[in-house]
Amino acid sequence: MTVLEQALVEAAADARSAAWDIVWHESIDQGSAVVGSAALLPWLASVCGRFAAGEREKPLVLAGLIAVDTVDGERERHAGAIAALRALTLENLAAGASDERIFVYLQQAVLGFDGDDVWGRRLDLINDGEADVECPSCEADLVVSLDPDDSEIEPDLSAELAGRLHAEAVAAGFPEVAAAVGLLFGRGVCPECGTSFSVAEQLAA
């Protein structure tokens, strides 16, 4: 039995097992899924389905990171598992996340299950409190604040996704996350050349 196989046995038996650290290490490298990790999705769906809502938060986040990196064939092959994991994540969001950081990670996981190649990877910039973007005009490297208490970005919730994420955060009782969503999809002004730009569009570019 390999190290990963043993870790999967131990992790499935206990949501708090240190074996989950091994599962993460073996399947995620610097935020991206290791090749072949998609094979874990049916296992994750089964395990998360047995765990209580409060126990499955981090496994669901892991599943979202794996799902967003699936190629077409893998996504089709594991469509049932991805759908089950998405439903469980929505249940967790409705029931209430343990804290605002986990809430953002769970929102990102849903987008990962949906195959959103941008926000399934980058929504957690909200947790970082800032984002690195490039001015579309002079190409200056900029760091924009996503801190609602200290940002020069003009909030914008006109995009359908922004409105949805904002509404979810408000309903969940995380007003700072809701405000940060407006900044993430808001507009900034380059201090170098004065060009107005969309933060979200530059992150997606």
Side-chain angles (χ1 to χ4, degrees), residues 36-105:
S37 295
L40 292 179
L41 290 170
W43 175 82
L44 281 164
S46 175
V47 170
C48 288
R50 296 196 303 271
F51 285 167
E55 297 177 327
R56 65 188 183 215
E57 288 181 330
K58 291 183 179 179
L60 288 172
V61 172
L62 169 62
L65 291 173
I66 293 174
V68 77
D69 276 332
T70 55
V71 297
D72 290 342
E74 292 175 331
R75 179 164 286 271
E76 293 173 1
R77 193 176 312 121
H78 301 301
I82 291 173
L85 287 160
R86 186 182 190 278
L88 289 170
T89 307
L90 290 175
E91 285 182 14
N92 270 64
L93 286 169
S98 57
D99 60 47
E100 62 182 21
R101 292 181 64 83
I102 287 293
F103 177 81
V104 172
Y105 286 129

Side-chain angles (χ1 to χ4, degrees), residues 17-200:
S17 172
W20 279 103
D21 293 336
I22 298 175
V23 177
W24 271 83
H25 178 74
E26 294 292 323
S27 55
I28 300 294
D29 181 27
Q30 297 183 345
S32 297
V34 174
V35 175
S37 295
L40 292 179
L41 290 170
W43 175 82
L44 281 164
S46 175
V47 170
C48 288
R50 296 196 303 271
F51 285 167
E55 297 177 327
R56 65 188 183 215
E57 288 181 330
K58 291 183 179 179
L60 288 172
V61 172
L62 169 62
L65 291 173
I66 293 174
V68 77
D69 276 332
T70 55
V71 297
D72 290 342
E74 292 175 331
R75 179 164 286 271
E76 293 173 1
R77 193 176 312 121
H78 301 301
I82 291 173
L85 287 160
R86 186 182 190 278
L88 289 170
T89 307
L90 290 175
E91 285 182 14
N92 270 64
L93 286 169
S98 57
D99 60 47
E100 62 182 21
R101 292 181 64 83
I102 287 293
F103 177 81
V104 172
Y105 286 129
L106 290 174
Q107 284 188 310
Q108 179 174 275
V110 171
L111 296 170
F113 298 135
D114 289 342
D116 188 324
D117 196 49
V118 176
W119 304 115
R121 305 174 189 275
R122 312 205 70 183
L123 189 68
D124 62 356
L125 287 170
I126 289 175
N127 289 338
D128 295 339
E130 61 182 28
D132 297 320
V133 298
E134 182 180 275
C135 173
S137 180
C138 70
E139 300 183 346
D141 293 325
L142 309 173
V143 178
V144 298
S145 173
L146 301 177
D147 180 351
D149 296 324
D150 181 28
S151 180
E152 297 180 358
I153 301 300
E154 180 181 350
D156 185 357
L157 296 172
S158 59
E160 181 180 355
L161 178 58
R164 188 188 97 194
L165 296 173
H166 179 272
E168 289 176 354
V170 170
F174 295 122
E176 290 191 358
V177 173
V181 168
L183 298 175
L184 187 64
F185 287 84
R187 297 196 66 83
V189 175
C190 175
E192 301 294 329
C193 69
T195 298
S196 174
F197 62 89
S198 163
V199 176

